[in-house]
Amino acid sequence: EAGVAQSPRYKIIEKRQSVAFWCNPISGHATLYWYQQILGQGPKLLIQFQNNGVVDDSQLPKDRFSAERLKGVDSTLKIQPAKLEDSAVYLCASSALENTEAFFGQGTRLTVV
Amino acid sequence: QQQVKQSPQSLIVQKGGISIINCAYENTAFDYFPWYQQFPGKGPALLIAIRPDVSEKKEGRFTISFNKSAKQFSLHIMDSQPGDSATYFCAASWNTGNQFYFGTGTSLTVIP
């Protein structure tokens, strides 16, 4: 079974630039999560999708972050414009609808300079 | 507000020793408590998980102890090995498909 795929692995941008991350969940997984993991901290949920609908985006800074999962499969997370404090690892995870176990991708390490 | 509190922040154990990491939670609606292991440059991977209807779950060298009344749970790693050196996160969730609330992580180093 293929795992959760994320790209790119690393990204360095200047503040005020925009950036996009891509995630392809495990085939058949209805639930997709985007987490932000700041160095030395635990992952924090940004947004959760179930199929192509948003379940929870209460912690997503909507003035600069956006995410979509148009066909209920892969997803894109965008930051525009980026701030220095957005430097973090962005993790995508997925789970089957009937299962609580979440599988994480390797993450995208973003550095904003 | 930190939904799940984890300690210690870092832990150094001799090979063959027991590693113990503790977590506490406030929300009594949580009904699923996983532990994740994360190696540098990798995403978190599920290690072991427990539901509050049991007080202990063991899988190989890894054991979760759960105290529902105290709202605490802990991970015990028996016979710790250098390959266990990683960051460990406790987490909590409720109902199927809901988000996970993670602790702040414990960096474990097992000295040969």
Side-chain angles (χ1 to χ4, degrees), chain A residues 5-64:
Chain A
Q6 288 188 247
S7 67
R9 287 294 314 279
Y10 307 94
K11 190 73 176 179
I12 301 174
I13 62 172
E14 295 183 348
K15 60 183 179 183
R16 292 186 290 274
Q17 285 188 324
S18 62
V19 64
F21 313 128
W22 176 81
C23 171
N24 193 21
I26 292 173
S27 178
H29 279 191
T31 304
L32 185 148
Y33 312 82
W34 282 103
Y35 281 86
Q36 180 192 56
Q37 186 176 21
I38 294 173
L39 186 64
Q41 298 182 20
K44 184 188 80 172
L45 182 74
L46 291 175
I47 189 167
Q48 177 184 346
F49 292 95
Q50 185 167 305
N51 296 311
N52 62 349
V54 175
V55 174
D56 185 348
D57 64 355
S58 57
Q59 299 181 88
L60 186 74
K62 299 180 184 65
D63 57 334
R64 298 183 301 107

Side-chain angles (χ1 to χ4, degrees), chain B residues 2-70:
Chain B
Q2 188 72 30
Q3 294 267 9
V4 180
K5 296 181 180 179
Q6 182 172 348
S7 63
Q9 185 175 357
S10 62
L11 183 61
I12 300 175
V13 174
Q14 293 276 359
K15 178 183 176 181
I18 302 173
S19 304
I20 301 174
I21 305 170
N22 300 299
C23 283
Y25 63 97
E26 287 298 323
N27 191 338
T28 55
F30 289 144
D31 64 358
Y32 179 68
F33 302 89
W35 283 90
Y36 282 85
Q37 180 188 55
Q38 186 175 29
F39 292 103
K42 303 291 186 181
L46 180 66
L47 191 62
I48 186 173
I50 196 168
R51 291 194 178 274
D53 53 344
V54 296
S55 60
E56 186 175 281
K57 183 175 181 180
K58 183 176 180 179
E59 290 184 1
R61 296 184 294 109
F62 301 92
T63 299
I64 299 179
S65 296
F66 187 83
N67 186 329
K68 188 174 181 178
S69 61

